[in-house]
Amino acid sequence: MKEFHCGSLVPGCEWHTRADEEAEVMRRAVDHMRETHGETVIRETMIEAIRSRIEKVRDAA
């Protein structure tokens, strides 16, 4: 399970997502950046910043 907390990239944002695959976490995070933070162009540096903040978490029992 992978998890991303937007607040680690955008201070004050409490949005987060969790999915089995990193690709799904990335897709959701990019959608969030566009819809919530008004990012119209997602550059490679943004992708790298998101990817570096994705954490592996244990599945909740």
Side-chain angles (χ1 to χ4, degrees):
M1 187 68 73
K2 308 286 182 151
E3 185 173 65
F4 170 72
H5 290 266
C6 188
S8 67
L9 185 61
V10 180
C13 184
E14 295 188 18
W15 183 87
H16 64 278
T17 189
R18 182 183 286 185
D20 290 328
E21 300 295 325
E22 182 176 294
E24 179 61 16
V25 173
M26 287 296 299
R27 185 192 68 74
R28 293 176 187 177
V30 167
D31 285 349
H32 170 74
M33 290 295 177
R34 286 187 174 124
E35 294 170 12
T36 304
H37 299 297
E39 295 290 336
T40 56
V41 176
I42 305 297
R43 292 182 166 58
E44 185 62 30
T45 53
M46 177 70 74
I47 297 297
E48 291 170 5
I50 293 169
R51 184 173 286 126
S52 72
R53 290 165 172 84
I54 293 175
E55 299 177 350
K56 186 174 183 177
V57 294
R58 288 189 357 187
D59 295 338

